[in-house]
């Protein structure tokens, strides 16, 4: 790991002033950043430790819940408000990483984590995300883990977070603050597709700090399921994951929320499938139809062709679980 | 004659070993004290309530480790794992993968298990750290250590300290309810040798015993 300066400001203003300087990175839990620094993928000149800021709280209001950016993944997953009202988020968080890492990782940091694409991690390999213009090693290389939606010829990496998939499905919004003040970003607009600039993972400005995430109140708590398909039973990144949430009244779906992980550069919200489900009976046949709609536009590579079958099967499985049919 | 000489010099070296280490530690500390004020003054001038460590500088930190308060100086890039092993000779905590994947370095920080290899030591300033060396009360082993011995929960033993620290946390967190739950919540300790069923049995027994862990 290269040497760096370290500062631990105790006010928001001082954090914002510090991060505006080039070569500066925020550190919260460090579970991804320290790893990347050890691999030489990221080498910031200065780390701004934000743990003195009071951003750990989870508070319930009339319209939903607010989760501070520094709330730990384990803290959110075990929180009674979250377990009672947003079990999808608890399930997604507990499907991610290990107990040790969930005790370190924060909500804000989880959103900021980088892809686990092996070509991004190996500094000897070409990678447009790590080194713009160097090419994409995964395009014709080992691309078993890679994207089937929204990718470009510059980058086919996927976003690794489970938490973010649930947040996207639950219509969360992110509050950030910078020198120009606060602004809110819909969770589904926070992360970017690669396009011509895969080096940009998200729409956060360089001088902005994530303050927290708000999830609006909903009627999905009874019929939520997070399905994560991976190479081993636990502690591995998703090949495909599905966040499914249904509002069911007398067997009829009033409203549906669906998002996938492991298939795109960002949490992949399935709005067309959601629309198709609304007003229909909660049956496996309708879930199969929704899965078919969700897969429109999917494009695979040499080694991840299996995802074209795995993804729709996972959607059906997750919806069946959410509806209580299995 | 030669044998005698080498014998005596070896003896002298081992006697000197500790004082030499102590001298190195003390001189490092003095260097740190000499270097730190400039940054601190700069921070004060900027009216920032900050702790600042410039490149090449060490930072003073106070960490309670296994009940003992340590005033230390660390380079910002030093991980908690390296601080424990290299500066404090607490070598019970093991370095496995060093990238947060194997769990061999698991320690408790303020009561929560974390990977010491991905924890920057400066970020544990003011916190309480417990390592495998801090579990036993003198000669009396922790119930989890007793259970690991009873159930033969180790083969080569390298992963054992991390497994035990995770096992204690697993019970404390309330995630030792069934074999399946234990396996899930021990999955961050990735070593899976023939002792693994024994590790699960040890945790089941401690949980069933209802002792304070």
């Amino acid at each position: 790991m290269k040497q760096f300066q370290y500062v631990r400001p105790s006010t928001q203003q001082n954090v914002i002033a510090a991060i505006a300087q080039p070569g500066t990175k925020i550190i919260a839990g460090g579970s991804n950043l320290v790893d990347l620094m050890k691999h030489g993928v990221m080498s910031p000149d200065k780390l701004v430790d934000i743990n003195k800021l009071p951003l750990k709280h989870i508070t319930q209001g009339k319209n939903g819940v607010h989760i501070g950016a520094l709330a730990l993944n384990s803290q959110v997953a075990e929180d009674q408000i979250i377990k009672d009202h947003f079990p999808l988020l608890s399930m997604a968080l507990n499907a991610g990483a290990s107990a040790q890492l969930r005790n370190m990782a924060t909500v804000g940091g989880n959103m900021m984590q980088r892809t686990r694409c092996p070509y991004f991690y190996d500094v000897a390999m070409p990678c447009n995300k790590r080194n713009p213009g160097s090419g994409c090693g995964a395009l014709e290389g080992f691309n078993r883990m890679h994207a089937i939606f929204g990718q470009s010829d510059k980058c086919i990496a996927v976003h690794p977070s489970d938490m973010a998939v649930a947040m996207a499905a639950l219509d969360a919004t992110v509050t950030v603050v910078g020198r120009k003040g606060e602004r809110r970003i819909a969770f589904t607009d926070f992360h970017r597709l690669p396009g011509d600039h895969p080096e940009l993972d998200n729409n956060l400005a360089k001088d902005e700090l994530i303050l927290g995430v708000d999830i609006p109140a909903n009627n999905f708590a009874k019929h939520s399921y997070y399905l994560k398909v991976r190479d081993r039973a636990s502690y591995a990144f998703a090949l495909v994951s599905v966040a499914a949430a249904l509002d069911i009244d007398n067997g009829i779906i009033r409203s549906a929320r669906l998002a996938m992980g492991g298939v795109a550069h960002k949490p992949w919200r399935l709005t067309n499938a959601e629309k198709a489900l609304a007003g229909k009976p909660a049956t496996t046949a309708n879930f199969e139809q929704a899965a078919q709609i969700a897969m429109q536009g999917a494009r695979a590579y040499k080694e991840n062709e299996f995802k074209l079958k795995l993804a729709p099967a996972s959607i059906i499985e997750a919806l069946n679980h959410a509806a209580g049919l299995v | 004659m030669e044998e005698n000489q080498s014998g005596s010099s070896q003896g002298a070296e081992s006697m000197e070993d500790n004082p030499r280490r102590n001298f190195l530690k003390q001189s490092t500390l003095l260097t740190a004290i000499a270097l730190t004020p400039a940054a601190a003054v700069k921070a004060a001038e900027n009216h920032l309530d900050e702790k600042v460590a410039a490149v090449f500088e060490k930072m003073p930190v106070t960490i309670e480790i296994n009940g003992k308060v340590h005033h230390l100086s660390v380079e910002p890039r030093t991980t908690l794992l390296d601080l424990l092993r290299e500066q404090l000779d607490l070598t019970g905590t093991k370095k496995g993968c060093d990238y947060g994947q194997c769990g061999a370095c698991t320690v408790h920080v303020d009561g929560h298990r974390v990977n010491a290899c991905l924890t920057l030591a400066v970020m544990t300033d003011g916190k309480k750290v417990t390592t495998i060396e801090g579990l036993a009360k003198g000669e009396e082993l922790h119930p989890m250590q007793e259970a690991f011995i009873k159930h033969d929960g180790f083969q080569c033993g390298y992963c054992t300290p991390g497994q035990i620290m995770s096992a204690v946390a697993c019970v404390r967190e309330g995630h030792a309810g069934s074999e399946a739950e234990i396996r899930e919540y021990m999955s961050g300790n990735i070593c899976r040798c023939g002792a693994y069923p024994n590790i699960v049995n040890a945790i089941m027994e401690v949980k069933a015993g209802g002792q304070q862990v």
Side-chain angles (χ1 to χ4, degrees):
Chain A
M1 207 188 311
K2 288 185 183 164
Q3 283 171 311
F4 54 85
Q5 277 186 299
Y6 170 85
V7 293
R8 194 190 302 156
S10 54
T11 67
Q12 204 171 285
Q13 293 92 310
N14 287 344
V15 167
I16 293 165
I19 58 177
Q21 297 157 18
T24 304
K25 285 279 165 213
I26 286 175
I27 187 161
S31 53
N32 188 208
L33 181 57
V34 174
D35 186 31
L36 290 166
M37 287 166 71
K38 284 187 172 189
H39 278 95
V41 178
M42 294 173 79
S43 306
D45 302 321
K46 189 172 182 176
L47 286 190
V48 182
D49 179 350
I50 59 167
N51 283 290
K52 275 191 147 186
L53 301 184
L55 298 175
K56 257 190 180 263
H57 297 290
I58 300 169
T59 43
Q60 192 178 19
K62 252 197 314 201
N63 303 319
V65 69
H66 176 81
I67 305 169
L70 287 173
L72 299 175
N73 281 8
S74 54
Q75 178 196 347
V76 181
E78 299 285 332
D79 186 89
Q80 205 56 49
I81 301 166
I82 303 298
K83 283 205 267 193
D84 290 347
H85 301 279
F86 309 96
L88 182 66
L89 180 58
S90 268
M91 280 188 256
L93 281 164
N94 279 330
S98 65
Q100 288 96 316
L101 290 167
R102 293 196 292 270
N103 277 339
M104 303 173 73
T106 62
V107 165
N110 190 307
M111 293 165 58
M112 295 302 289
Q113 71 177 304
R114 313 293 311 269
T115 183
R116 307 291 164 148
C117 173
Y119 296 92
F120 175 71
Y121 258 82
D122 186 343
V123 293
M125 289 287 173
C127 171
N128 287 325
K129 185 179 273 299
R130 176 173 31 77
N131 184 13
S134 62
C136 171
L139 216 51
E140 290 179 11
F142 296 104
N143 46 34
R144 185 170 174 274
M145 298 293 287
H146 290 73
I148 54 171
F149 288 111
Q151 69 271 43
S152 74
D153 59 358
K154 300 283 195 303
C155 181
I156 61 170
V158 296
H159 195 264
S161 167
D162 291 293
M163 181 202 82
V165 182
M167 291 283 197
L170 294 173
D171 294 316
T173 54
V174 187
T175 302
V176 304
V177 64
R179 279 180 292 189
K180 290 173 195 158
E182 278 186 31
R183 68 182 177 115
R184 288 163 71 87
I185 309 168
F187 202 94
T188 43
D189 294 334
F190 184 83
H191 296 97
R192 293 167 50 102
L193 290 179
D196 288 334
H197 290 284
E199 73 279 8
L200 301 173
D201 293 346
N202 54 59
N203 292 311
L204 194 71
K206 283 200 164 53
D207 71 333
E208 283 179 323
L209 161 76
I210 300 169
L211 292 177
V213 178
D214 286 277
I215 309 175
N218 62 51
N219 295 315
F220 300 125
K222 274 191 216 154
H223 297 289
S224 295
Y225 198 76
Y226 188 76
L227 176 73
K228 185 173 182 181
V229 185
R230 44 190 160 178
D231 281 330
R232 54 176 189 249
S234 60
Y235 193 20
F237 290 102
L239 293 166
V240 166
S241 71
V242 181
L246 298 169
D247 177 4
I248 301 174
D249 184 32
N250 271 330
I252 304 294
I253 300 165
R254 280 200 292 214
S255 175
R257 295 288 182 275
L258 278 171
M260 266 198 280
V263 296
H265 206 248
K266 60 186 283 187
W268 193 249
R269 181 83 179 258
L270 311 174
T271 40
N272 287 341
E274 291 172 5
K275 279 179 202 152
L277 285 169
K280 295 218 178 91
T283 63
T284 304
N286 284 331
F287 298 158
E288 282 168 359
Q289 199 201 9
Q292 218 174 11
I293 292 167
M295 292 306 293
Q296 283 167 8
R299 186 162 58 98
Y301 296 85
K302 194 177 163 207
E303 294 187 345
N304 71 350
E305 242 190 327
F306 69 96
K307 288 193 182 183
L308 296 180
K309 286 185 181 172
L310 181 63
S314 303
I315 293 170
I316 298 161
E317 176 87 357
L319 283 167
N320 275 333
H321 274 283
L325 300 181
V326 286
Chain B
M1 182 65 183
E2 270 181 21
E3 276 179 17
N4 274 345
Q5 271 184 347
S6 75
S8 67
S9 81
Q10 266 176 15
E13 198 165 282
S14 73
M15 276 173 67
E16 276 176 15
D17 191 41
N18 278 338
R20 189 182 293 166
R21 279 197 174 186
N22 286 339
F23 170 75
L24 285 173
K25 279 180 189 167
Q26 279 166 5
S27 59
T28 314
L29 189 66
L30 289 173
T31 313
I33 291 167
L35 281 173
T36 310
V41 168
K42 201 173 137 203
E45 280 172 355
N46 292 339
H47 305 291
L48 303 180
D49 176 21
E50 292 186 358
K51 292 208 170 178
V52 181
V55 175
F56 302 120
E57 280 184 3
K58 291 195 173 188
M59 255 191 95
V61 293
T62 301
I63 312 171
E64 186 182 319
I65 301 168
N66 298 331
K68 190 180 161 203
V69 176
H70 292 259
H71 301 285
L72 302 157
S73 71
V74 293
E75 227 186 88
R77 64 177 166 173
T78 306
T79 63
L80 177 59
L81 175 61
D82 288 341
L83 175 75
L84 292 170
R85 291 182 56 87
E86 308 296 334
Q87 268 180 261
L88 300 171
D89 288 334
L90 291 168
T91 52
T93 306
K94 297 295 184 252
K95 183 180 275 200
C97 69
D98 206 26
Y99 292 99
Q101 296 174 11
C102 78
C105 66
T106 302
V107 298
H108 297 176
V109 174
D110 281 350
H112 299 293
R113 54 171 152 161
V114 299
N115 299 106
C117 73
L118 292 184
T119 303
L120 295 177
V122 286
M123 292 175 73
T124 57
D125 187 22
K127 296 191 173 176
K128 288 182 183 177
V129 175
T130 307
T131 70
I132 189 71
E133 289 93 343
L135 279 190
K137 286 178 190 152
E139 292 297 300
E140 189 193 332
L141 291 179
H142 184 279
M144 194 61 79
Q145 291 173 309
E146 295 276 11
F148 265 63
I149 293 168
K150 183 180 163 192
H151 289 275
D152 194 13
F154 30 78
Q155 285 192 339
C156 87
Y158 194 82
C159 74
T160 312
Q163 296 274 10
I164 290 177
M165 296 312 287
S166 250
V168 170
C170 185
V171 174
R172 281 186 191 162
E173 292 160 3
H175 290 302
S178 66
E179 253 189 62
E181 193 181 23
I182 290 170
R183 285 176 189 274
E184 173 64 33
Y185 279 83
M186 290 297 289
S187 68
N189 294 70
I190 214 144
C191 195
R192 290 285 188 279
C193 72
Y196 202 57
N198 306 349
I199 291 173
V200 175
N201 289 341
I203 298 171
M204 297 274 279
E205 182 176 282
V206 172
K207 162 78 164 116
Q211 293 144 291
Q212 182 77 28
V213 296

